[in-house]
């Protein structure tokens, strides 16, 4: 009878312990899963911001180029005399030179019927010359509205790109359309900021078709099945001719917010055979690109989170089991276990304190780095960072034989503003000028406060002609800006000096000096103007 009672007690205790282990394991699993998902959400938001800041849309970087190129007399002359072989040759050579200087994929000229009459690739085997592109939306929009944009697969080159177009007119008469193509078939900029590490990126067009992705198998797949209208549009414009694939097989497991979900994606036969997985689960966050109909999505795999949650569940159950065993053992050697527990807690606290100190040092180091390269008042880069960065760009320019221009910018009558309205107002003027200067900066451009009310801008891959156009647009923007102080409007103007790097120069000092001399000349000539000194 005693043996039976003892066995029943043993079974009851074992049942209680197993039940406790299962409860703790389940709680640990779901708690760890929740924390992991929350961490993924923050990480997805961070990486999405990095992608948006790194991958500027072509309209942000190149929107001004078609209009600028279309104004060249050579363009209109080529269209007007499109049957003159000598004129066409000059037009081809002119576009070929522009393509080399701007780094674009191709520049070409269409007549009013959409026929290509001149192109920067006129000497290549797959030249655009002689091909009609009237079916492309960028041509139709330029004819109707004066300009257009369109992403598509090249019908000849088979290379995807973003097309920007501009109508060419003479005395109000439409002559044709100027088109530039920007290649968009790589994500090197994402790799440089480590976005792809343990994450995937996909960019979709207005029809939700992926045209850029870190996973090759995802490219040119719709996120959802296309309706008949979208199918007809894609077919008529030959946007993805020969490369469009079936839609991704996506199942939404859980919707976290308006722009976040946990999804399962079934891999295609080819990709599943390569990685051994038929389906993968991701946390996906998406946002539109500003100023475009594109959508960017960042995918973070859920598998590591689930594995971590499973490990946490097992670890929690094991820890609880060990704790129960320790409690039993505590009845015999309570004092020894108490001392060991105190040592363990002290070590854990010391480790946590060390980790916290390390995190604080890392943050302090990053803060110091940012402070060392930026101007505290305006947020622009400082003079030292500008010199260090431009010296590196100068080395690349010298090797490639390209162009690099410097723009010196100075606020006119700044001392009078400080004297009349006070230094706080002067500070706001400098901050405003910084904001206006940074609006049109490209990824490789460098802008800094050079000293006082003087600012400096370096434009790699840009000659003095384009640089003077950039400076002139900035001058007009500043002059048109309404700056009001206590009900009184202050008229702001700037003067700009421009110089270009001469091949063979050993450093940047002479280029900056020439730009400064040009700025001084602009000041001497009456201010509110742009002066170029090559």
């Amino acid at each position: 009878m005693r043996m039976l009672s003892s066995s029943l007690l043993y079974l009851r205790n074992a049942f209680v312990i197993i039940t406790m282990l299962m409860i703790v394991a389940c709680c640990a699993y779901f708690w760890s899963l929740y924390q992991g998902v929350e961490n993924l959400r923050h990480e997805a938001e961070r990486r999405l911001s990095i992608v948006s800041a790194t991958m500027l849309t072509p309209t942000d970087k190149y929107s001004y180029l078609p209009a600028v190129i279309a104004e060249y007399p050579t363009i209109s002359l080529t269209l007007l005399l499109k049957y003159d072989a000598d004129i066409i040759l000059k037009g081809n050579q002119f576009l070929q030179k522009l393509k080399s200087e701007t780094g674009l994929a191709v520049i070409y000229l269409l007549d009013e019927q959409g026929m290509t009459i001149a192109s920067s690739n006129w000497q290549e085997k797959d030249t655009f010359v002689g091909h009609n592109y009237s079916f492309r939306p960028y041509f139709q929009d330029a004819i109707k509205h004066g300009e257009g944009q369109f992403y598509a697969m090249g019908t000849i080159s088979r290379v995807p790109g973003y097309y920007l177009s501009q109508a060419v007119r003479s005395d109000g008469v439409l002559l044709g359309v100027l088109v530039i193509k920007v290649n968009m078939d790589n994500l090197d900029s994402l790799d440089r900021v480590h976005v792809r590490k343990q994450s995937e990126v996909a960019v979709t067009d207005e029809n939700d078709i992926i045209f850029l992705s870190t996973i090759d198998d995802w490219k040119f797949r719709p996120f959802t099945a296309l309706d008949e209208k979208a199918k007809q549009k894609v077919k008529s414009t030959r946007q993805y001719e020969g490369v469009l694939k079936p839609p991704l097989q996506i199942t939404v497991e859980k919707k976290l917010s308006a722009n976040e979900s946990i999804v399962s994606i079934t891999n295609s036969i080819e990709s599943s055979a390569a990685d051994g997985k038929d389906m993968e689960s991701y946390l996906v966050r998406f946002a539109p690109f500003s100023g475009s109909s594109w959508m960017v999505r960042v995918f973070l795999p859920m598998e590591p989170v689930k594995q971590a949650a499973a490990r946490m569940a097992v670890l929690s159950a094991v820890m609880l089991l060990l704790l129960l065993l320790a409690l039993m053992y505590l009845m015999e050697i309570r004092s020894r276990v108490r001392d060991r527990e105190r040592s363990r807690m002290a070590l854990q606290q010391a480790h946590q304190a060390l980790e916290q100190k390390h995190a604080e040092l890392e943050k302090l180091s990053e803060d110091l780095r940012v402070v060392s390269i930026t101007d505290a008042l305006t947020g622009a880069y400082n003079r030292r960072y500008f010199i260090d960065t431009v010296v590196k760009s100068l080395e690349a320019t010298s090797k490639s034989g390209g162009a690099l221009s410097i723009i010196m910018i100075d606020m006119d009558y700044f001392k009078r503003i400080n004297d009349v309205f006070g230094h706080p107002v002067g500070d706001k003027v400098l901050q405003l000028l910084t904001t206006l200067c940074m609006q049109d900066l490209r990824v490789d451009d460098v802008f800094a406060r050079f000293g006082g009310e003087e600012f400096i801008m370096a434009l790699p891959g840009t000659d003095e002609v384009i640089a003077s156009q950039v400076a002139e647009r900035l001058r007009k923007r500043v002059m048109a800006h309404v700056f009001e102080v206590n009900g009184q409007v202050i008229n702001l103007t700037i003067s700009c000096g421009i110089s270009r790097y001469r091949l063979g120069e050993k450093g940047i000092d002479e280029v900056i000096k020439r730009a400064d001399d040009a700025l001084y000349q602009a000041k001497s000539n009456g201010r509110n103007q742009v002066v170029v000194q090559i």
Side-chain angles (χ1 to χ4, degrees):
M1 191 68 181
R2 288 182 179 178
M3 291 179 62
L4 179 60
S5 178
S6 176
S7 298
L8 291 174
L9 180 61
Y10 173 79
L11 290 175
R12 187 188 68 179
N13 291 338
F15 176 77
V16 171
I17 291 174
I18 292 173
T19 302
M20 291 177 62
L21 292 176
M22 292 179 63
I23 293 174
V24 169
C26 289
C27 292
Y29 177 84
F30 288 109
W31 177 85
S32 177
L33 186 65
Y34 171 78
Q35 292 295 326
V37 170
E38 288 301 305
N39 291 336
L40 277 187
R41 294 179 69 181
H42 292 301
E43 181 65 12
E45 182 179 9
R46 184 185 72 84
R47 297 193 182 195
L48 190 60
S49 299
I50 294 176
V51 175
S52 299
T54 304
M55 286 190 59
L56 295 177
T57 59
T59 53
D60 292 330
K61 297 172 63 177
Y62 300 103
S63 59
Y64 71 93
L65 271 180
V68 170
I69 298 174
E71 291 295 326
Y72 280 96
T74 304
I75 299 300
S76 56
L77 184 62
T78 302
L79 287 168
L80 285 169
L81 303 176
K82 61 183 179 180
Y83 299 110
D84 189 316
D86 292 335
I87 296 297
I88 293 297
L89 176 60
K90 292 180 180 179
N92 282 325
Q93 293 172 341
F94 177 72
L95 294 180
Q96 187 178 27
K97 179 183 177 183
L98 279 181
K99 184 259 184 186
S100 176
E101 292 178 348
T102 58
L104 295 168
V106 65
I107 310 173
Y108 51 106
L109 193 60
L110 311 177
D111 65 13
E112 66 273 18
Q113 280 80 39
M115 182 64 69
T116 307
I117 64 171
S119 175
S120 60
N121 63 3
W122 64 287
Q123 291 181 312
E124 299 176 13
K125 179 182 178 181
D126 296 329
T127 179
F128 291 3
V129 174
H131 290 271
N132 191 295
Y133 294 103
S134 59
F135 62 89
R136 290 293 203 188
Y138 61 74
F139 173 79
Q140 299 166 8
D141 291 342
I143 294 295
K144 293 179 181 178
H145 309 296
E147 61 181 13
Q149 303 88 30
F150 188 61
Y151 177 89
M153 175 68 66
T155 57
I156 297 177
S157 65
R158 312 308 298 168
V159 175
Y162 199 78
Y163 300 82
L164 295 98
S165 60
Q166 178 70 39
V168 180
R169 299 179 183 274
S170 178
D171 297 330
V173 177
L174 178 67
L175 302 179
V177 175
L178 185 284
V179 186
I180 67 172
K181 179 182 179 182
V182 183
N183 277 349
M184 295 288 293
D185 59 346
N186 65 78
L187 291 177
D188 292 341
S189 56
L190 299 180
D191 294 331
R192 286 199 297 272
V193 292
H194 306 290
V195 172
R196 188 174 180 182
K197 185 179 180 182
Q198 297 181 343
S199 67
E200 306 296 346
V201 177
V203 183
T204 57
D205 63 10
E206 66 276 8
N207 294 315
D208 227 12
I209 299 175
I210 303 171
F211 61 89
L212 288 179
S213 176
T214 51
I215 298 180
D216 290 337
D217 185 62
W218 289 7
K219 289 182 180 179
F220 310 117
R221 290 186 183 275
F223 260 82
T224 56
L226 299 178
D227 57 28
E228 288 302 321
K229 183 178 179 180
K231 287 181 181 178
Q232 184 60 35
K233 180 179 179 182
V234 171
K235 181 179 180 181
S236 63
T237 61
R238 300 173 65 182
Q239 187 173 11
Y240 300 106
E241 186 176 58
V243 296
L244 191 62
K245 304 175 186 176
L248 282 180
Q249 299 183 42
I250 300 177
T251 303
V252 178
E253 297 180 0
K254 184 177 182 181
K255 192 173 182 63
L256 303 177
S257 66
N259 62 341
E260 282 182 318
S261 300
I262 296 177
V263 301
S264 294
I265 299 180
T266 302
N267 294 322
S268 65
I269 297 177
E270 295 81 1
S271 62
S272 61
D275 57 27
K277 297 179 180 178
D278 293 332
M279 180 179 293
E280 293 191 53
S281 182
Y282 296 94
L283 185 145
V284 55
R285 184 181 178 92
F286 58 90
F289 269 125
S290 178
S292 75
S293 58
W294 296 355
M295 188 76 69
V296 59
R297 291 174 169 86
V298 174
F299 295 80
L300 276 71
M302 285 290 297
E303 188 61 27
V305 175
K306 294 178 180 179
Q307 292 178 356
R311 288 194 297 269
M312 179 60 71
V314 174
L315 180 61
S316 299
V318 171
M319 290 181 65
L320 177 60
L321 181 60
L322 293 176
L323 180 60
L324 293 175
L325 295 175
L327 288 175
M328 297 176 186
Y329 190 64
L330 182 62
M331 297 174 62
E332 298 180 4
I333 50 171
R334 180 179 300 176
S335 59
R336 185 184 301 176
V337 173
R338 185 184 298 117
D339 292 340
R340 291 180 179 177
E341 183 66 15
R342 288 175 180 173
S343 299
R344 187 185 69 82
M345 292 298 296
L347 181 61
Q348 182 177 354
Q349 291 174 358
H351 180 68
Q352 291 175 348
L354 182 62
E355 286 185 340
Q356 182 178 359
K357 191 66 177 178
H358 179 69
E360 291 173 355
L361 289 175
E362 284 186 340
K363 184 178 183 302
L364 177 60
S365 175
E366 177 61 18
D367 292 343
L368 290 175
R369 188 192 71 82
V370 173
V371 169
S372 69
I373 66 174
T374 56
D375 174 58
L377 174 63
T378 63
Y381 289 124
N382 58 27
R383 181 172 183 156
R384 185 182 69 180
Y385 178 84
F386 178 85
I387 295 297
D388 293 344
T389 303
V390 174
V391 166
K392 297 176 182 179
S393 296
L394 205 60
E395 294 176 358
T397 299
S398 179
K399 293 179 181 179
S400 65
L404 186 146
S405 297
I406 296 293
I407 303 177
M408 293 289 292
I409 306 165
D410 187 87
M411 178 61 69
D412 295 334
Y413 303 109
F414 183 70
K415 183 177 183 303
R416 183 187 301 170
I417 294 175
N418 278 336
D419 293 342
V420 175
F421 299 97
H423 288 279
V425 173
D427 292 345
K428 290 182 179 179
V429 170
L430 295 181
Q431 292 167 350
L432 171 63
L433 178 57
T434 299
T435 301
L436 296 177
C437 287
M438 296 177 70
Q439 286 182 0
D440 288 341
L441 288 183
R442 301 170 301 176
V443 173
D444 295 332
D445 296 341
V446 186
F447 173 74
R449 185 181 181 186
F450 211 59
E453 67 272 23
E454 277 193 348
F455 294 82
I456 192 167
M457 189 182 297
L459 307 176
T462 303
D463 61 16
E464 68 278 5
V465 176
I466 300 299
S468 65
Q469 294 171 356
V470 173
E472 183 63 20
R473 285 201 306 273
L474 175 61
R475 184 189 69 80
K476 292 180 180 179
R477 186 183 303 136
V478 173
M479 188 169 60
H481 191 85
V482 178
F483 186 78
E484 186 174 340
V485 178
N486 297 328
Q488 182 176 353
V489 175
I490 303 176
N491 296 319
L492 303 178
T493 62
I494 61 171
S495 298
C496 300
I498 297 174
S499 65
R500 174 178 174 175
Y501 168 69
R502 299 171 180 171
L503 293 179
E505 287 185 316
K506 299 300 182 182
I508 194 63
D509 293 341
E510 288 300 318
V511 188
I512 294 177
K513 183 179 182 304
R514 290 198 301 276
D516 194 54
D517 291 343
L519 175 62
Y520 180 77
Q521 183 179 348
K523 290 285 189 180
S524 300
N525 293 344
R527 296 179 173 85
N528 192 21
Q529 56 185 276
V530 176
V531 174
V532 179
Q533 188 175 113
I534 301 177

